[in-house]
Amino acid sequence: AQKITQTQPGMFVQEKEAVTLDCTYDTSDPSYGLFWYKQPSSGEMIFLIYQGSYDQQNATEGRYSLNFQKARKSANLVISASQLGDSAMYFCAMREGLDNAGNMLTFGGGTRLMVKP
Amino acid sequence: NAGVTQTPKFRVLKTGQSMTLLCAQDMNHEYMYWYRQDPGMGLRLIHYSVGEGTTAKGEVPDGYNVSRLKKQNFLLGLESAAPSQTSVYFCASRPKGRPGANVLTFGAGSRLTVL
């Protein structure tokens, strides 16, 4: 079974509007972390935001926020006030287990976001 | 500050040839990882290392070997390249035991084509 599922292969959003990128995950470990990375056309992987499984509040970083619904096992990324530079691939990823272990990230298949002027 | 540096950035191989990808990080990170990314897909873990002299298999280790002789370097080797290993390879590192987000720092990627 897929551990990380991103069901939207591609999405369009109008510049200055908000957009939600979906991510669902599957784990039986009570300790886990969820990450979002951005990959522009240049290819590098850029960390955006992190949510720990025990965090009480949804994570926010500037225009990025994570809508964490633990019971639904979803960790959707919300980008407010989209900009042309937000056009990129977005990957959701999960680390299972404790933070201080050498645990690797498992990535979803990604969502390509295209911002229209 | 260089962060994570991968060499080479591009390489074309013929089937059966061997090569080594070098990853170097200057952040004194304990953990290092090699991922591959195939077109339209997310990253899949090949091998990783939790410290100098240690390595472990990830999700897709077959056909690859790794070594971590020095803390700052993590080498990925292909002994006999196959067309199925055509991919973009990413190295990443992170510090050990940092509370909160153990964020990976990625290299810029190495594009490998096997003919």
Side-chain angles (χ1 to χ4, degrees), chain B residues 29-67:
Chain B
H29 286 175
E30 283 78 9
Y31 301 152
M32 297 186 74
Y33 307 82
W34 275 108
Y35 285 88
R36 62 176 287 173
Q37 183 181 28
D38 299 312
M41 296 179 64
L43 280 69
R44 292 183 293 167
L45 183 67
I46 306 170
H47 286 280
Y48 66 101
S49 168
V50 299
E52 183 178 322
T54 71
T55 63
K57 294 180 180 179
E59 184 184 354
V60 288
D62 294 342
Y64 303 95
N65 57 75
V66 287
S67 64

Side-chain angles (χ1 to χ4, degrees), chain B residues 3-84:
Chain B
V4 178
T5 303
Q6 294 181 226
T7 53
K9 289 186 169 47
F10 301 94
R11 184 74 187 268
V12 178
L13 288 177
K14 294 181 179 178
T15 298
Q17 286 185 319
S18 63
M19 75 157 296
T20 300
L21 294 175
L22 170 63
C23 177
Q25 52 96 3
D26 61 1
M27 298 170 287
N28 203 34
H29 286 175
E30 283 78 9
Y31 301 152
M32 297 186 74
Y33 307 82
W34 275 108
Y35 285 88
R36 62 176 287 173
Q37 183 181 28
D38 299 312
M41 296 179 64
L43 280 69
R44 292 183 293 167
L45 183 67
I46 306 170
H47 286 280
Y48 66 101
S49 168
V50 299
E52 183 178 322
T54 71
T55 63
K57 294 180 180 179
E59 184 184 354
V60 288
D62 294 342
Y64 303 95
N65 57 75
V66 287
S67 64
R68 183 106 182 262
L69 298 179
K70 293 182 179 181
K71 186 176 183 180
Q72 62 268 33
N73 296 338
F74 194 30
L75 279 63
L76 177 71
L78 287 73
E79 287 188 350
S80 179
S84 61

Side-chain angles (χ1 to χ4, degrees), chain A residues 6-25:
Chain A
Q6 296 179 252
T7 57
Q8 307 151 311
M11 288 191 68
F12 284 96
V13 65
Q14 197 67 41
E15 191 179 9
K16 299 181 184 175
E17 291 186 350
V19 63
T20 298
L21 306 184
D22 294 342
C23 173
T24 57
Y25 59 92

Side-chain angles (χ1 to χ4, degrees), chain A residues 70-92:
Chain A
K70 199 169 183 177
R72 288 184 162 188
K73 293 189 175 180
S74 74
N76 298 339
L77 176 70
V78 180
I79 305 174
S80 62
S82 298
Q83 301 172 356
L84 295 178
D86 294 336
S87 294
M89 282 289 287
Y90 289 82
F91 292 99
C92 180

